[in-house]
Amino acid sequence: MNISPFSLGVSMAAVSIVSSLSTSASAFSLGDYNLVVFEDVTSNSDVEGSAFIGGDLLGSSSNYCIKCDAGGSFFPFDGVGLKVVGDIEGNPKNVNNGTDLEYGGNLNAIVNMNGGGSIIQNSNLANEFTQLKNFLSNESTLYSNLASNSSINVPGQQPGPVIFNSSGDSVAVFDIDAADLFSNKTQQIELNLNGSSTAIINVRGTSANWNQGNIVGDLVSDDEVKEKVLWNFYEAETLNFNLALYGSLLAPL
């Protein structure tokens, strides 16, 4: 998916367990939406679950809630597959599996409601989004302040893998610089959970460019492992990824 500008990408795969670390009560959890973006989205791709967009939805045709089967893990908690605070422009959009569309601005594009969902103009979306944005920003800060309790092997002089080795604690916390994670020596990236129920990978740095070193192992092949991993790019203002990142991504700046 092309997200421009990339103010926030939260690509979530039912990671509600991580929210239990928060010390404050909230109406939200990290598993509420599959994609959240703070500003505009220009997309020609798919979102498996629901999406909340803080600006305008632009671009050619894009699809939302393609895996939102009734009773399934991707079905939205409130039945809304796509929320757009601003305008909807460009080529036709598709909202699938009987879920609804809510928008706050102008509807200037065809929207196909596949499965019989409703199109609703909601003037309160901006307020709802502000609360969600604050929640996600606070969660990112909370996780970034956790002390690391697990180890990381990074390549030295010779190319090799980046290996995250959990301590086996219930919540494994890693801390790494983006330049080390995505260096020109990185051939592959792998994670050993070692029994941990959640892994938080805090990545330092204001930018990250990833164009080599595929993720391998359980983080690719095991859906349960993907649901336990959060990548927290808590300082990043620019992310350029040319490869698939598995797990959930939080980048509030």
Side-chain angles (χ1 to χ4, degrees):
M1 168 171 282
N2 242 342
I3 301 174
S4 177
F6 200 113
S7 301
L8 174 91
V10 180
S11 180
M12 290 296 165
V15 191
S16 56
I17 187 169
V18 181
S19 296
S20 65
L21 297 172
S22 179
T23 57
S24 60
S26 173
F28 300 103
S29 79
L30 291 183
D32 286 345
Y33 299 97
N34 198 213
L35 175 72
V36 179
V37 181
F38 282 5
E39 297 183 10
D40 297 341
V41 168
T42 301
S43 174
N44 61 352
S45 190
D46 301 334
V47 178
E48 293 182 345
S50 58
F52 204 154
I53 297 167
D56 299 333
L57 174 58
L58 311 167
S60 57
S61 292
S62 51
N63 298 282
Y64 303 87
C65 248
I66 64 172
K67 289 190 176 181
C68 291
D69 299 323
S73 61
F74 281 100
F75 198 84
F77 68 96
D78 57 0
V80 183
L82 175 61
K83 298 180 182 181
V84 180
V85 173
D87 301 335
I88 300 177
E89 309 268 1
N91 290 352
K93 320 300 180 190
N94 297 288
V95 181
N96 299 289
N97 288 300
T99 59
D100 296 336
L101 162 69
E102 292 185 1
Y103 68 100
N106 298 304
L107 182 56
N108 297 321
I110 295 171
V111 180
N112 299 310
M113 304 303 296
N114 300 318
S118 300
I119 298 177
I120 304 163
Q121 187 163 33
N122 183 350
S123 59
N124 192 49
L125 274 184
N127 291 331
E128 182 181 345
F129 191 81
T130 297
Q131 296 177 51
L132 176 60
K133 177 180 178 179
N134 291 338
F135 164 74
L136 294 170
S137 298
N138 290 338
E139 291 294 283
S140 180
T141 299
L142 170 71
Y143 305 146
S144 71
N145 289 326
L146 294 175
S148 175
N149 61 12
S150 298
S151 64
I152 308 169
N153 295 331
V154 298
Q157 296 297 321
Q158 299 298 320
V162 172
I163 304 175
F164 294 91
N165 287 305
S166 167
S167 60
D169 288 27
S170 177
V171 178
V173 181
F174 301 91
D175 185 77
I176 190 170
D177 195 275
D180 293 327
L181 177 59
F182 302 126
S183 79
N184 58 11
K185 298 289 181 60
T186 300
Q187 292 182 322
Q188 62 189 40
I189 299 170
E190 56 188 284
L191 166 69
N192 298 315
L193 269 179
N194 298 327
S196 293
S197 59
T198 301
I200 298 174
I201 303 174
N202 290 315
V203 184
R204 300 183 303 273
T206 58
S207 65
N209 295 286
W210 187 26
N211 52 29
Q212 69 173 45
N214 290 333
I215 292 178
V216 300
D218 289 344
L219 194 47
V220 177
S221 61
D222 191 331
D223 288 343
E224 290 186 4
V225 172
K226 297 174 192 176
E227 293 176 1
K228 296 176 180 179
V229 178
L230 175 70
W231 301 84
N232 183 26
F233 290 84
Y234 59 95
E235 294 179 331
E237 298 173 5
T238 303
L239 297 175
N240 294 309
F241 289 170
N242 296 314
L243 298 163
L245 184 76
Y246 295 88
S248 296
L249 182 151
L250 182 57
L253 302 183

